[in-house]
Amino acid sequence: MEIIIQPDLHSGTELGARIMEALIRTKPNAVLGLATGSTPVALYCELIRMHREEGLDFSQLTTFNLDEYVGLSAKHPASYHRFMQENLLSHVNIRHDRIHIPDGMTEDIPTFCRDYEAAIVKAGGIDLQLLGIGHDGHIGFNEPSSSLGSRTRIKTLTENTVAANQRFFSSEEKVPLHVITMGVGTIMEARTCLLLAFGKGKAEAVAAMAEGPITAMCPASILQMHPHAILIVDEAAASQLKRADYYRHVYANKPPFQHREMQKPNFIASHSELTQ
Ligand code: PGA
């Protein structure tokens, strides 16, 4: 795993957006795995800016979102369909038939989940999966104890996740207990995983995922087994990393050509060969 510590959310977000831009410019028909939550909002703003001001083209991309609440329609203000439209998709030139978000209203969840997996395979697999991390180490909505080999399926949220996500719902409305989420195994098949975490509240989860044991009790820890996982954190989220100085040292001493590569369109391909 490449662990990149940036001074703050702004610089971490900018680097994350640059990595995604590099992929999109190299492979205009790339398949992106997208995430919701607070963490990627600033990154999506930056991608929208790149689209408007620098001609970043979304017209050939395909996207698959990680998860959705069961029982929420695409129009519900707290649905992840709505979140994606508001925070990214309605602002860029993406084709609607290439957007995939789990259907929280499906009447046959197991069949829907199998079809979702099949659609990812049919699209050629996910090139880059964007991820946030929950305070308990979840990725997607794969709560602790999720099988590390799991596929897209229904999950039950923990009380803590329900409480953490209440902020996206009106006070009188309850967070749904059930969700459809890509599995940990599904996420692990993405060619690149890019996990962003900012703020002190994420420090414990970040340390557990990057330096703790690989365990279903911290599903994100499986990324230690991923051949090309990039973790971008700010100083606050890095504050419990025991080897933070080493990660800073590695990044500061990257051979110049690797830093230059990061600015170039072929960054993703070269990066995976050179830094693992
Ligand atoms: P957040 O959520 O980005 O809103 O902190 C991350 C997550 O729960 O996966």
Side-chain angles (χ1 to χ4, degrees):
M1 188 184 308
E2 179 170 26
I3 302 172
I4 305 176
I5 302 173
Q6 291 287 291
D8 52 32
L9 180 148
H10 179 72
S11 48
T13 292
E14 206 173 276
L15 179 58
R18 209 157 62 223
I19 290 170
M20 292 188 73
E21 179 199 9
L23 170 65
I24 296 168
R25 293 207 194 270
T26 318
K27 189 176 178 188
N29 63 348
V31 179
L32 300 181
L34 298 178
T36 52
S38 309
T39 306
V41 171
L43 183 144
Y44 292 152
C45 282
E46 180 60 7
L47 291 179
I48 293 166
R49 189 199 63 73
M50 288 172 174
H51 169 66
R52 288 185 180 152
E53 296 175 13
E54 295 167 12
L56 189 62
D57 180 20
F58 287 70
S59 66
Q60 296 179 62
L61 293 177
T62 300
T63 64
F64 287 90
N65 261 78
L66 284 167
D67 43 23
E68 179 58 286
Y69 293 104
V70 170
L72 294 199
S73 75
K75 289 200 165 65
H76 190 285
S79 75
Y80 286 165
H81 279 77
R82 182 87 171 257
F83 176 99
M84 289 310 301
Q85 286 301 326
E86 286 175 359
N87 288 285
L88 177 67
L89 300 173
S90 68
H91 305 284
V92 294
N93 63 333
I94 190 155
R95 276 176 47 171
H96 288 284
D97 59 340
R98 297 204 176 146
I99 296 168
H100 303 82
I101 303 175
D103 178 6
M105 299 300 283
T106 180
E107 282 174 8
D108 182 350
I109 291 176
T111 301
F112 177 85
C113 293
R114 275 196 296 277
D115 290 349
Y116 202 70
E117 291 275 338
I120 293 172
V121 172
K122 189 161 174 237
I126 292 172
D127 289 296
L128 183 146
Q129 177 65 57
L130 184 62
L131 296 165
I133 184 169
H135 294 101
D136 55 7
H138 71 225
I139 44 175
F141 268 138
N142 295 284
E143 300 283 33
S145 79
S146 290
S147 160
L148 298 180
S150 52
R151 314 303 308 189
T152 302
R153 70 213 182 289
I154 189 168
K155 282 294 290 179
T156 308
L157 297 180
T158 64
E159 281 179 22
N160 284 343
T161 301
V162 166
N165 288 4
Q166 187 65 54
R167 69 191 195 279
F168 296 111
F169 289 76
S170 62
S171 51
E172 62 277 5
E173 199 177 13
K174 288 218 156 51
V175 179
L177 200 53
H178 294 112
V179 293
I180 294 173
T181 181
M182 273 187 210
V184 180
T186 321
I187 292 168
M188 284 293 284
E189 282 173 10
R191 291 179 192 98
T192 294
C193 284
L194 175 62
L195 192 149
L196 268 47
F198 303 117
K200 212 168 178 46
K202 296 291 171 73
E204 199 176 322
V206 164
M209 75 154 284
E211 296 180 337
I214 295 173
T215 165
M217 299 319 287
C218 176
S221 63
I222 193 64
L223 292 172
Q224 293 174 31
M225 296 287 288
H226 195 285
H228 191 209
I230 306 170
L231 168 63
I232 299 178
V233 287
D234 63 358
E235 289 288 350
S239 59
Q240 290 190 35
L241 287 171
K242 290 195 178 63
R243 298 196 168 246
D245 286 343
Y246 174 65
Y247 311 138
R248 285 193 196 93
H249 175 72
V250 170
Y251 193 62
N253 291 288
K254 267 186 152 180
F257 75 95
Q258 283 191 340
H259 270 299
R260 280 199 304 278
E261 291 299 325
M262 208 175 237
Q263 315 294 330
K264 284 201 221 155
N266 63 350
F267 164 65
I268 292 274
S270 54
H271 189 71
S272 64
E273 284 159 23
L274 299 171
T275 61
Q276 298 307 304

